[in-house]
Amino acid sequence: MGNCFSDSKKSTSEIAPCDLVKVNKPTQTTTQQQATPNVRLCGSPASILTAYIRFALLYKSISPRFIPCDTPIFESETPTILRIGSESVSGSRETLLNFIESKFPNPPLTTVSSKDIDDDETAPRIVRLMWLQHKSLKWHLERMARWAEDLAKRKGKKAVDPAVGSPKMEVRKFATSYSQLLELMLEHAQMEERVVFPVLEKADRGLCKAANEEHARDLPIMNGIKEDIKSILVLDCGSTAYQEAFRSLAVRLKSLKEHSKEHFQEEERDLLPLIEATELSQEQQKRTIVQCVSAMQGTHSHLFHFFLEGLPPAEAMQYLNLTTYAVIKNELSPSFI
């Protein structure tokens, strides 16, 4: 997780360009900060359990010091050790969560427990999964659009935050972030086409034709933006051509952001309720989640940390609840930290 999960909390509308990879988390009072003991978390960077416990701490407004250890991949084989002050604990997720709750009772973790998801018949797992994916995608799209606007306004001048390096280095980071977002968006669309839409097609043939066509229309736009960024990378940062290219790119990214948000809203309004209407059994929902993760190999392995950046800690924990079994079932080794 490293810098990916920092201490700031901002709504999507407040994301500044220098907040490139920050995660939202509850505000912490000065008194709490002063009273917080040293918190260390030891475990494997690829452990789902370790990631879950870190998000639980972030939800409590606690940023632990992470100590990686070279251990087997899955949490069933990976000891995760949590040290708070002079006390330490290791064991199951429930044991670790109870320890955290005893030390930091507010806000309570019961609001983000797996039981809330599993027992809520009005929100099937696949619906919750898609909703959380949409939320992360919207966060990343908003971030990229604001970042592009900021780079265009700076006209190739020095970076706002020295941590991002020179202007040329920042543009390369911008290009990398967009490539990751593009892969995430393509895998999400692929998951819907291969797994979710067929479920609906069985109930009502032809129901998802328009949604598939919408995905096809978006692809040239997204690939075109990627080519635009490649062209900018070879331009001189202070040139007129560079400034014009970034202004144009900022406009295209803003358009993609707005169009994608409308698309997600339409799916949430028109398609997700129909998934609920199919009345999948718990076992069918579980199988569908496994298929969804299988269709998103990149997102749930080397891009999982990038995906989770777009969710507040509580919702990241919910997503881990939903996908833990499927990640292990598909033999993925996600890197979270």
Side-chain angles (χ1 to χ4, degrees), residues 262-288:
E262 289 175 5
H263 173 69
F264 296 148
Q265 287 167 0
E266 287 174 1
E267 286 189 345
E268 290 165 10
R269 183 187 66 237
D270 300 332
L271 294 183
L272 296 193
L274 294 175
I275 295 175
E276 295 187 38
T278 61
E279 297 182 340
L280 296 174
S281 68
Q282 288 293 323
E283 189 58 38
Q284 288 173 319
Q285 289 186 50
K286 197 172 184 179
R287 273 201 311 271
T288 304

Side-chain angles (χ1 to χ4, degrees), residues 115-244:
K115 186 175 185 296
D116 293 339
I117 296 171
D118 293 342
D119 291 352
D120 187 357
E121 295 180 359
T122 64
R125 296 181 184 186
I126 183 60
V127 170
R128 186 66 180 166
L129 180 96
M130 290 180 66
W131 186 85
L132 289 169
Q133 288 184 4
H134 287 173
K135 185 163 186 177
S136 177
L137 285 168
K138 286 186 284 188
W139 187 91
H140 281 289
L141 283 162
E142 179 72 31
R143 184 189 69 151
M144 293 303 303
R146 285 184 174 272
W147 195 357
E149 287 178 1
D150 182 70
L151 286 168
K153 290 175 183 176
R154 278 189 260 154
K155 301 179 180 180
K157 297 177 182 178
K158 67 179 182 178
V160 171
D161 184 354
V164 303
S166 68
K168 183 65 73 174
M169 291 166 65
E170 184 174 1
V171 174
R172 289 197 187 101
K173 290 177 181 179
F174 178 89
T176 298
S177 288
Y178 181 76
S179 293
Q180 292 173 325
L181 174 58
L182 179 58
E183 183 175 347
L184 178 56
M185 291 181 72
L186 292 176
E187 284 201 331
H188 171 77
Q190 179 177 279
M191 177 207 76
E192 291 182 334
E193 292 164 6
R194 292 184 179 180
V195 182
V196 181
F197 293 170
V199 171
L200 293 176
E201 285 289 300
K202 288 181 180 179
D204 189 342
R205 191 170 182 81
L207 189 63
C208 298
K209 181 180 178 182
N212 274 314
E213 291 174 350
E214 188 80 7
H215 287 171
R217 282 196 295 268
D218 288 342
L219 184 58
I221 299 171
M222 293 187 291
N223 285 333
I225 290 173
K226 186 175 183 178
E227 294 304 313
D228 288 346
I229 296 172
K230 286 182 180 179
S231 299
I232 291 174
L233 283 169
V234 301
L235 297 175
D236 177 57
C237 290
S239 68
T240 302
Y242 172 90
Q243 295 170 29
E244 288 294 332

Side-chain angles (χ1 to χ4, degrees), residues 19 21 37 65 74 90 94 110 122 155 168 178 191 195 222 236 239 241 285 289 294 297 303 309-310 319 321:
D19 298 324
V21 286
R65 177 189 170 198
F74 296 119
S90 180
E94 289 68 29
T110 52
T122 64
K155 301 179 180 180
K168 183 65 73 174
Y178 181 76
M191 177 207 76
V195 182
M222 293 187 291
D236 177 57
S239 68
Q285 289 186 50
I289 293 292
S294 179
Q297 293 284 324
L303 287 182
E309 287 168 14
Y319 196 84
N321 275 332

